[in-house]
Amino acid sequence: MTHIPPPAEELRLLDAELWQLDARRAQLLARRAWLVAALQPKWQAPQPTGPRPAASPRPEASAPSVQNVLLVLGGVLLTIAAMVFTLVSWGHLGITGRTLVLGAVTAAALAAPLPLLKRGLRSTAESVAGLGLALTVLDAVALHGAVFPETPGAPYTAVASALLAALWTTYGLLPGATDLRLPRPAALVAAQLPLFFWAIAADAGPYGLTAALLVTAGFDTVVALRTTPGSVRVVAAIGAYGVGAWGALAAGLLTWTASGPSAAARAAALLLLASAIALAAAWQGGRTAADGAAATRANGQALGLAVASGLLAVVALGGTARSLLPELWTVPAHLAFGIALLAALRLDRLPDAVRRGLAWAAGAVQALSLLWALPVVGVVVLGPLAWASRAWTGAPSDARSAVTVDVTWPPHAEAAPVVLAAVAAVLALAVRDAAWRPRALAGASGLAWATALILPAVLELPYSAGLLIQGAATAGALTAAMFLRQHATALVLALVSSASLALPALASQTATLVVLCGLIALFTAASWRLAPFTAPTALVLGAALACATGAAAHWSPAHTALLVLVVPATAALLAGRLGDARATVPVEAAGAAAGLLAIALAATDLPLLATVLALCGVITAGTAIRTDRRQVGYAAAALFLAAAWVRLAAWEVDTPEAYTLPVTIPALLVGALRHRRDPQTSSWTAYAPGLAATLVPSLFAAWGDPHWTRPLLLGVAALLVTLAGARHHLQAPLLLGGAVLLLDALHELAPYIVQVTDALPRWVPPALAGLLLLALGATYEQRLRDARRVRSILTKMH
């Protein structure tokens, strides 16, 4: 098949190609020499030949870092020495000696930073000041052990921390000590303790301790908002966030565990205090924001504080309502207070960041409420799946029993419709932004649909009333999908609700038939606007109706398959007449799926299976009449062939050639005539149907034939077909004949292969497989070239 020239001609061609290569190589070498000469520098400076001087070593630590480390270590060592002195040597001194030592060391440590600052030794002054502050703490501890040993720890700690905070603040505000950065932050740290320990000393209980924490957080907030020094502001912010978070968590826990309205009211007061602190901080931060990065950071903090303030207020008011109302209304009460936060959007006096934060808090409350109602919707939508295995076992008593076949009804689900409807109303009425308005309307429609869907089960309406309401929800969703611009959400809801309606209807035979007919009518009516989605759905429902009708008439699955074939026939008729080209492929796919369902139903009855295959072939051939579906003709031919083979198997024919050869010979003659008139005709179109009509049934018969005559004749025929395909460069005869010849040879060799396999040791097959893989790996590229050559040869054939 490949043209090879004579030796003399091939030698002449090789010489000509070598001469061209030599000429091209000389040209490239000349160009290279020119480029090298052009790029070579005219003069190069002499390079030093001696050793390069060693670079000076780079210091691993800067001088300020070394200084700070030394000062910190010195201060720590002095503090440790003071602690050892206080704990070990304190008892050897009298009251006078103790007073003198305490006063002298502390006064010296606190006074030393002042002259050091005047001399410009700032770091040394900070270290000595830190030592002085630590000594004041040790002094307080020593005084408690020596002078006030009988005083309880909590009140003494409260007084001592308050005095230390005042002392350190005064010391940091002295005229010569204002440049010290340590005293005032340290004073603020000490100020975190007095109120908390006073509450412990007064035995104020959990409410008093929580109030102390929140008041301390409020004090830190004021300091953070009003103080100029950066170190003090940072410490105050850390204290406000940390202590405030602990206080808010404690108040929330008190609200959750409140045993009555009085306890809930006290816990709500604490939460409202925390909310007020956060709101005040957000308000102040939103008003004082400057421009640039500082403004962005301040607005972000104000937004977060406003969100926290709104959530704390909702928890406070909702907790109070929970103590007064039945547990059923806990979530709706919190939702009502969360929706009330949206009123802040109309207060122009509030900073923009605060208003947005309160709006986000309201949205968070609504989202949590929807999350609580989600299990109810899940039960209503997914619960009826259990009817698929219990079809027509009897209608349930009410709509709730229809959806809780194998699942448990969630507690307090009676409030779920209220929650869904309230959030839907908020989305529809409160969102006015042009960018968010379409999404809000889509969400509102989805929530309204969910409300209608779960309402029958929540109210325990009769079974038939529940089906009617779900049908109305489906019709409403389809209507919205037809007339709204953003129809995707409504269409998805319609599809889900149709499934949610069809599944509970499986409980009753009458309900199943009526519901399927109604859904088919709805989706068919909607196909004039939404054909790409509703027409395939109507066809799927039609297939389900056909199966249900056959079961109601007590037909066997094979006879029901004949009724299911109405669906692919309808799909074939619709696909060519739909005005929307986008709907053609989905409709045809639905029809093909229904055809496969019919074939599966008829698989147990061979005569009916042959009939179904033939009818599918007729429908497919009718589709192939369309100019854009000519390729479907191959599928029609395959279906007709399969129908013929199944019919032969149903008749238990031992000699299929008597029935197939009368078809094969005229088919081959017609194919040869068409190929002669149109040489561009593919061999698969001209010869494959006729050859397959005899070769494939004969191959199946040969594999079950214990004699040698049929396999021999089939092998000879397949060999002749293969040689004819190779002679005339035709794909279909070559591949079909070769495949049949190979399978027929394997059938003849199978007994001997089994005998050889049983005779060989078990290690031989893995060894042979390993050698085969090594050989393939070693000649991988050559095998690829061979495969490409074979593919090229087959592609050139007809």
Side-chain angles (χ1 to χ4, degrees):
M1 292 181 285
T2 302
H3 175 69
I4 299 177
E9 180 65 16
E10 186 176 1
L11 180 61
R12 186 185 65 79
L13 294 175
L14 290 176
D15 290 337
E17 290 182 2
L18 290 174
W19 180 82
Q20 291 178 358
L21 290 175
D22 290 337
R24 181 59 177 167
R25 185 173 184 277
Q27 181 182 1
L28 294 176
L29 288 175
R31 181 62 179 174
R32 181 182 181 280
W34 183 87
L35 291 174
V36 170
L39 295 176
Q40 188 174 5
K42 301 298 182 182
W43 176 82
Q44 294 182 353
Q47 302 292 330
T49 57
R52 298 180 62 183
S56 59
R58 182 180 180 181
E60 297 183 358
S62 61
S65 301
V66 174
Q67 177 189 7
N68 292 332
V69 171
L70 293 177
L71 291 174
V72 171
L73 287 177
V76 171
L77 291 176
L78 288 175
T79 305
I80 293 174
M83 293 174 62
V84 173
F85 172 78
T86 303
L87 297 175
V88 177
S89 302
W90 182 261
H92 300 289
L93 300 176
I95 186 64
T96 305
R98 297 172 185 178
T99 305
L100 292 176
V101 171
L102 282 173
V105 174
T106 305
L110 293 176
L114 302 179
L116 291 175
L117 287 175
K118 292 181 180 180
R119 293 177 177 272
L121 302 176
R122 183 186 183 90
S123 299
T124 307
E126 293 284 354
S127 299
V128 177
L131 175 61
L133 299 180
L135 287 174
T136 57
V137 177
L138 293 176
D139 293 344
V141 174
L143 286 174
H144 180 265
V147 182
F148 308 104
E150 302 298 331
T151 305
Y156 183 83
T157 302
V159 174
S161 58
L163 292 176
L164 288 175
L167 174 63
W168 293 347
T169 302
T170 304
Y171 177 69
L173 296 176
L174 291 176
T178 53
D179 292 337
L180 292 175
R181 291 175 294 186
L182 188 58
R184 280 175 287 179
L188 187 59
V189 173
Q192 310 299 309
L193 304 178
L195 285 178
F196 185 75
F197 280 96
W198 267 119
I200 295 176
D203 196 13
Y207 292 93
L209 292 175
T210 304
L213 289 174
L214 292 176
V215 172
T216 303
F219 168 74
D220 293 335
T221 303
V222 173
V223 173
L225 295 175
R226 298 296 183 181
T227 304
T228 303
S231 58
V232 179
R233 189 166 59 249
V234 170
V235 173
I238 294 174
Y241 281 111
V243 179
W246 279 110
L249 289 175
L253 182 61
L254 291 175
T255 301
W256 183 260
T257 57
S259 58
S262 177
R266 286 182 289 167
L270 295 174
L271 282 173
L272 289 177
L273 174 60
S275 175
I277 294 172
L279 181 61
W283 195 328
Q284 185 67 23
R287 290 177 57 185
T288 59
D291 297 330
T296 303
R297 184 167 56 253
N299 285 329
Q301 294 175 354
L303 178 66
L305 289 170
V307 171
S309 174
L311 293 177
L312 289 173
V314 170
V315 173
L317 299 175
T320 305
R322 184 174 65 88
S323 64
L324 299 173
L325 298 175
E327 190 176 359
L328 171 66
W329 299 103
T330 299
V331 175
H334 283 80
L335 177 61
F337 291 121
I339 294 174
L341 290 176
L342 294 175
L345 295 176
R346 298 185 178 275
L347 299 178
D348 297 333
R349 295 181 58 187
L350 289 178
D352 182 65
V354 176
R355 287 191 284 116
R356 287 190 292 112
L358 294 176
W360 277 105
V365 173
Q366 296 176 63
L368 292 174
S369 301
L370 292 179
L371 189 62
W372 173 83
L374 186 61
V376 183
V377 181
V379 168
V380 173
V381 173
L382 301 178
L385 286 173
W387 288 110
S389 59
R390 305 179 185 183
W392 297 356
T393 56
S397 59
D398 52 49
R400 183 178 296 184
S401 302
V403 299
T404 56
V405 183
D406 289 334
V407 296
T408 304
W409 185 250
H412 310 301
E414 290 76 8
V418 178
V419 171
L420 296 174
V423 178
V426 171
L427 290 176
L429 299 176
V431 180
R432 296 297 181 182
D433 185 76
W436 288 92
R437 182 67 177 171
R439 304 175 189 177
L441 291 177
S445 61
L447 293 176
W449 166 84
T451 304
L453 195 67
I454 68 173
L455 197 59
V458 170
L459 299 179
E460 294 187 83
L461 297 179
Y463 173 68
S464 57
L467 294 180
L468 288 175
I469 293 177
Q470 288 186 339
T474 305
L478 274 178
T479 304
M482 285 191 293
F483 296 103
L484 292 180
R485 292 184 179 180
Q486 302 293 335
H487 63 273
T489 303
L491 183 60
V492 171
L493 295 179
L495 295 175
V496 174
S497 59
S498 65
S500 179
L501 173 61
L503 289 172
L506 292 175
S508 170
Q509 175 178 322
T510 304
T512 301
L513 298 176
V514 172
V515 166
L516 289 176
C517 291
L519 289 176
I520 291 172
L522 283 177
F523 282 94
T524 303
S527 296
W528 69 282
R529 293 288 297 271
L530 303 170
F533 307 98
T534 56
T537 305
L539 291 174
V540 171
L541 293 171
L545 178 61
C547 294
T549 303
H554 303 288
W555 291 359
S556 65
H559 288 86
T560 304
L562 297 175
L563 188 60
V564 174
L565 285 178
V566 176
V567 176
T570 304
L573 293 175
L574 289 176
R577 290 168 175 79
L578 287 175
D580 192 353
R582 298 175 302 169
T584 302
V585 174
V587 166
E588 291 176 342
L596 293 176
L597 175 62
I599 293 173
L601 290 174
T604 57
D605 192 331
L606 291 182
L608 282 177
L609 178 60
T611 303
V612 169
L613 287 172
L615 292 176
C616 289
V618 171
I619 296 171
T620 308
T623 303
I625 296 175
R626 293 160 45 194
T627 57
D628 57 338
R629 291 292 184 268
R630 296 298 189 191
Q631 301 299 325
V632 183
Y634 297 109
L639 288 170
F640 284 129
L641 286 176
W645 300 338
V646 172
R647 176 56 65 181
L648 293 177
W651 286 339
E652 298 181 358
V653 174
D654 295 332
T655 309
E657 293 82 5
Y659 299 90
T660 58
L661 283 176
V663 176
T664 295
I665 295 175
L668 291 178
L669 293 177
V670 172
L673 181 62
R674 180 178 177 181
H675 192 267
R676 175 174 296 181
R677 292 182 177 179
D678 184 8
Q680 300 300 323
T681 303
S682 172
S683 61
W684 293 100
T685 303
Y687 303 111
L691 293 174
T694 296
L695 291 178
V696 175
S698 298
L699 180 62
F700 280 104
W703 271 83
D705 193 347
H707 304 288
W708 59 271
T709 308
R710 186 190 303 276
L712 176 61
L713 295 177
L714 178 62
V716 171
L719 177 61
L720 294 177
V721 171
T722 304
L723 294 176
R727 171 67 180 82
H728 297 285
H729 295 184
L730 298 175
Q731 280 187 7
L734 179 64
L735 295 181
L736 283 175
V740 173
L741 180 61
L742 178 61
L743 293 175
D744 186 65
L746 289 176
H747 169 262
E748 294 302 310
L749 292 176
Y752 303 102
I753 294 175
V754 172
Q755 293 177 4
V756 172
T757 303
D758 292 337
L760 289 176
R762 295 186 177 182
W763 59 268
V764 174
L768 293 176
L771 292 175
L772 177 62
L773 292 177
L774 288 176
L776 290 176
T779 59
Y780 180 72
E781 294 184 359
Q782 181 62 36
R783 301 286 79 76
L784 286 179
R785 286 194 294 269
D786 294 343
R788 295 191 189 99
R789 187 178 296 110
V790 172
R791 184 181 63 181
S792 176
I793 293 172
L794 291 175
T795 305
K796 293 178 182 179
M797 293 182 179
H798 290 288

